[in-house]
Structures are given as C-alpha cells and as structure tokens.
Amino acid sequence: MIKPEEVYQIGRIGKPHGVKGEMNFMFTDDVFDRTDSDYLIIEVDGILVPFFIEEYRFRSEETALLKLCDIDTQEQARQFTNCNVFFERSHTPEDEEELTWSQIVGFHIVDENTQKTIGTITAVDDSTENVLFELLTADGREVLLPASNDLIVEVNNAAQTITMTIPEGLLEL
C-alpha cells in the first residue's frame, strides 16, 4: 500500500480528450518527464493507486494529454476527472540541484533557534514574487512563512525537514 508520506502531488486529471481514453493532465511538476518512471499514482476514492503510462504528449508548459494502460474509452477516462496525481519521492532524481515546490509539501519546518518543529508545509503559495509556505502547526493553526533563501538554513531531503531562522513574533501574526 502506498503511504501519503511516500508521494507528493504533481497535478490533477482534467476531462477526457477524445474517445480512446486520453485525458487532460494539468501538472505543476514535470518530474514524470525527467525520470524513467513508468507509472503515476492517482488518488481514486481516497486510495493511492499506481497506473502505468502508455503515452503522453505535451500541450503546453502546464498540460499534457495522458493515456494510461488499460484505459481505452472516454467513459473509463471520465472516472479520473478531478483526481489528484502523485509521484513517488523515491523516484525523484537525486542529482537535481533544487527541490520543486511540489516536492516540499509535507516537509516539516524546524526553528533553528529552538530546534523544535513548527509545523508541516501543506501548500506553497508562489502566485506572487514573495513565495510563502503554508504551514499547519501542531496545535492546528494555519501559519504563513516567507520562503526566503535568507531565512532557510538547511534543507534535509531524507528527513523531509527545512530548518529556518524564524524572526521573533512572526508566528504570532
């Protein structure tokens, strides 16, 4: 069984395209194209299920037409509309210099001064020039932290932690 902490979201399935099982795939990370992975993981009814890729072709920088093995009709493809698509962290190339925003969702933020875990990254807001980490703290609060290189001390991919210098009072805002 695939566990949620073993994967990260890379996109979402849109409507079927044509009648032969192709579907629109809106992605935020093209890791599936940069690796040799033969499958993607799709959340179906709350369960993470691997599906082998038959073929795909890019339509733009953010969308592709995706054909999965054994999905051969428009009706079969329609069942995947609005399903989230994930990629296994273990298949991410280790030689990449930087992690993508998608990959760090689920990482824990650690305060450099106290060495305590502040919270877990639930999303990254990169809609403006000032990128923000959206955190869920242990006490259930939602907190925004600037994803500034000036504040990030260390990123530990294996431990899925980001150590940051957090200015005093920032978490109380």
Side-chain angles (χ1 to χ4, degrees):
M1 188 158 127
I2 301 170
K3 298 176 184 168
E5 60 271 9
E6 296 172 347
V7 299
Y8 63 97
Q9 186 172 351
I10 63 167
R12 184 179 207 82
I13 300 292
K15 294 181 180 180
H17 178 81
V19 295
K20 297 190 180 197
E22 275 190 319
M23 51 193 93
N24 285 292
F25 173 34
M26 289 84 63
F27 57 89
T28 56
D29 189 336
D30 67 351
V31 66
F32 63 95
D33 189 50
R34 298 188 320 262
T35 63
D36 292 335
S37 183
D38 296 330
Y39 63 94
L40 293 173
I41 298 165
I42 300 177
E43 186 177 25
V44 180
D45 296 329
I47 299 170
L48 298 171
V49 182
F51 287 90
F52 283 96
I53 301 169
E54 188 171 310
E55 65 180 348
Y56 63 89
R57 63 185 189 275
F58 290 100
R59 294 184 78 183
S60 71
E61 290 184 14
E62 299 167 343
T63 60
L65 292 178
L66 176 66
K67 173 74 172 73
L68 300 173
C69 291
D70 300 323
I71 307 299
D72 298 317
T73 67
Q74 183 179 29
E75 292 75 28
Q76 290 174 316
R78 186 172 287 118
Q79 296 174 10
F80 294 94
T81 301
N82 293 323
C83 287
N84 292 324
V85 180
F86 296 85
F87 196 80
E88 278 194 280
R89 291 185 189 276
S90 63
H91 287 126
T92 303
E94 291 185 22
D95 60 347
E96 288 188 355
E97 291 183 20
E98 294 184 21
L99 295 170
T100 64
W101 294 130
S102 301
Q103 288 173 283
I104 64 170
V105 171
F107 276 39
H108 303 285
I109 298 292
V110 176
D111 185 351
E112 178 189 34
N113 297 324
T114 64
Q115 292 301 309
K116 291 185 179 180
T117 300
I118 302 302
T120 304
I121 299 174
T122 57
V124 177
D125 181 354
D126 62 350
S127 61
T128 66
E129 192 173 319
N130 298 316
V131 178
L132 298 170
F133 293 143
E134 297 178 18
L135 302 180
L136 182 63
T137 64
D139 61 1
R141 292 184 304 130
E142 292 182 0
V143 177
L144 297 176
L145 274 180
S148 169
N149 286 335
D150 295 338
L151 300 177
I152 296 174
V153 176
E154 177 188 31
V155 177
N156 185 329
N157 195 10
Q160 295 186 358
T161 61
I162 299 175
T163 303
M164 295 181 70
T165 302
I166 299 173
E168 193 172 322
L170 185 63
L171 296 175
E172 284 75 41
L173 295 176

